[in-house]
Amino acid sequence: MPSTVAARPVRRAAEEADPRLVDGALAAAMAVLVAVIAAADLEGTGRAGALAYLFAAGFGALLLARRHAPRLVLVLTVLGIFVYYVFQLPPIGIALPAVAALFSAAEADRTRSAVAAGAVLVSVAAYFRVDEGLPAAYLVSYDLLTDVALVAAAIALGVSVRARRELRAHQERLRALAAAEERHEAGRRMQAEKAGIARDLHDTIGHTMSVIAVHSNVATEAVGRDDEAVARALEQIRAAASTTLRELRTTVKLLRSPGADPAERGSIGLAGLPQLVATAEDAGVEVTARIDVDPDELDATIDAAAYRILQESLTNVLRHSGARHALVEARLRDGTLELRIADDGRGASPDTGAAGGGRGLAGMAERAGLLGGSFAAGPRDSRARGGGGFEVRATLPRRLEP
């Protein structure tokens, strides 16, 4: 394990080194290696001189262009080896001078050219060895085997380096795509959170302003005639304003804490429906509430959404309908929460019946749709029993899908 860990920085440094320095070092190493073998003159030809060293320098110099023209470098190297032996210079091996060129071609995805060049070198070497009268056993067991091993190793190493480089590039692309997806998802979540906060602010402030407007009118009309009515109206205004301020503080706290859970917006849910009903009745609308739902059976998000839909619907009743009576129903049926709010008012159209210039109904529909539910609203049929007025229907799942 320590040797593997220690090798990683070395390999990383080599991969990140300046390509020109790498090519220069490889060219110098090849030139020196060929020159040393030529100078050794293992077969005692006595021709180890300037021409042999010039060829050695040429084999090295060709490698300076290995990245730009790997196939040309390979061809010139193979031809250079043949020309070298034409001059009957000291033996340097048939495959050794071409090792770097074969590696470079394979690394540059010219594997077929490298294999072909290697096959030509090995075949030519084998032919001349046989022509020289060397025993076949020696040729197969030593000379040919050595050349084949050098060629195969050079090509395999080049393919390995290329594959590792391509894998690293692919991993970089995947990381970039994953980072872009994470940024997109974060933006989507932020936008959804902003939309949720905007809906909550609209519902809360819209409902409170409706209550304040109704009770301020009551107080204005009762001034000087009914002090108790004035006091009750002002108390309702105070209570509505206090409740709204608490919700606004919670929302501001959430905005200041980006990592906070949206469930921390408050204990809003169907448990708060009696207060909504009481507020509407204090404003002069008789409300019949039929709630057959245990809030514990609902997800907190569903519970809060149901409360907001009922709150916005009652706000519309107070603001626009002129109704005297409203019906609020909530019940669970086959795992679905069904909501219904109906009044006996003027039966406003969806455009005029939505608080805030139409955003009220649109916000409720959006809220229900995001949670996988449905929403419908419109005038009630005046010919039906209890007809006339306006009706809102919404369905929400009891639990959110995991």
Side-chain angles (χ1 to χ4, degrees):
M1 180 64 71
S3 61
T4 302
V5 174
R8 289 176 182 172
V10 175
R11 184 167 61 248
R12 188 179 298 111
E15 292 172 348
E16 296 176 356
D18 188 342
R20 291 174 297 182
L21 294 178
V22 174
D23 292 347
L26 185 60
M30 178 56 64
V32 170
L33 178 62
V34 174
V36 168
I37 296 177
D41 194 7
L42 298 178
E43 293 186 2
T45 63
R47 297 190 178 95
L51 185 58
Y53 299 143
L54 182 61
F55 268 96
F59 288 134
L62 284 175
L63 295 178
L64 296 176
R66 73 186 192 92
R67 296 181 189 270
H68 305 290
R71 187 176 293 167
L72 178 61
V73 169
L74 179 61
V75 171
L76 292 178
T77 299
V78 172
L79 292 177
I81 293 173
F82 292 156
V83 173
Y84 179 91
Y85 281 104
V86 167
F87 285 102
Q88 297 183 348
L89 296 173
I92 55 175
I94 196 72
L96 184 62
V99 165
L102 291 168
F103 163 80
S104 300
E107 182 190 17
D109 200 15
R110 301 291 188 272
T111 307
R112 291 184 179 180
S113 298
V115 171
V120 168
L121 287 172
V122 172
S123 300
V124 170
Y127 171 80
F128 281 102
R129 289 297 189 184
V130 171
D131 188 61
E132 291 173 1
L134 288 177
Y138 171 82
L139 178 66
V140 173
S141 64
Y142 177 73
D143 203 49
L144 182 62
L145 184 61
T146 302
D147 289 338
V148 170
L150 281 174
V151 169
I155 295 175
L157 182 59
V159 171
S160 174
V161 170
R162 186 185 77 247
R164 187 169 64 249
R165 184 172 60 243
E166 291 175 350
L167 177 61
R168 187 167 60 250
H170 180 65
Q171 290 173 339
E172 289 296 331
R173 288 194 296 271
L174 289 179
R175 279 194 289 269
L177 289 174
E181 181 63 24
E182 288 179 1
R183 289 194 297 270
H184 176 74
E185 180 64 19
R188 188 195 65 78
R189 288 197 301 267
M190 181 178 294
Q191 188 61 33
E193 185 62 19
K194 287 181 179 179
I197 292 173
R199 286 193 301 268
D200 287 352
L201 288 175
H202 171 274
D203 295 347
T204 300
I205 296 175
H207 178 75
T208 303
M209 295 307 295
S210 297
V211 172
I212 290 175
V214 170
H215 286 290
S216 62
N217 290 334
V218 172
T220 300
E221 293 176 0
V223 167
R225 294 187 301 172
D226 188 346
D227 291 342
E228 291 185 3
V230 172
R232 286 196 302 271
L234 293 177
E235 175 60 23
Q236 290 295 330
I237 291 174
R238 185 200 64 78
S242 298
T243 301
T244 301
L245 284 174
R246 285 196 299 272
E247 290 197 24
L248 287 177
R249 289 192 190 101
T250 302
T251 301
V252 170
K253 179 182 178 182
L254 179 65
L255 289 173
R256 289 177 176 174
S257 306
D261 190 337
E264 294 176 4
R265 291 183 189 172
S267 57
I268 296 173
L270 293 179
L273 186 58
Q275 184 177 353
L276 283 180
V277 172
T279 301
E281 289 183 334
D282 289 337
V285 178
E286 181 184 352
V287 180
T288 300
R290 299 171 182 169
I291 309 301
D292 187 17
V293 179
D294 183 356
D296 292 337
E297 298 183 26
L298 305 175
D299 280 349
T301 303
I302 301 297
D303 194 21
Y307 175 88
R308 291 302 189 189
I309 290 174
L310 295 177
Q311 182 188 50
E312 178 63 21
S313 299
L314 287 176
T315 298
N316 290 340
V317 171
L318 295 177
R319 276 189 172 185
H320 308 287
S321 70
R324 294 185 177 181
H325 181 267
L327 172 66
V328 177
E329 292 183 337
R331 61 179 178 177
L332 279 174
R333 176 180 292 179
D334 298 330
T336 299
L337 175 62
E338 297 180 351
L339 305 174
R340 176 173 176 258
I341 306 92
D343 64 66
D344 60 359
R346 291 187 295 268
S349 67
D351 290 336
T352 59
R359 284 304 305 163
L361 293 181
M364 288 189 280
E366 181 179 330
R367 190 189 298 274
L370 287 174
L371 296 175
S374 62
F375 179 85
R380 300 171 66 196
D381 188 352
S382 59
R383 294 172 297 178
R385 181 180 178 183
F390 198 78
E391 184 176 63
V392 171
R393 288 182 177 271
T395 62
L396 300 173
R398 183 173 67 90
R399 302 287 186 189
L400 291 176
E401 292 295 332

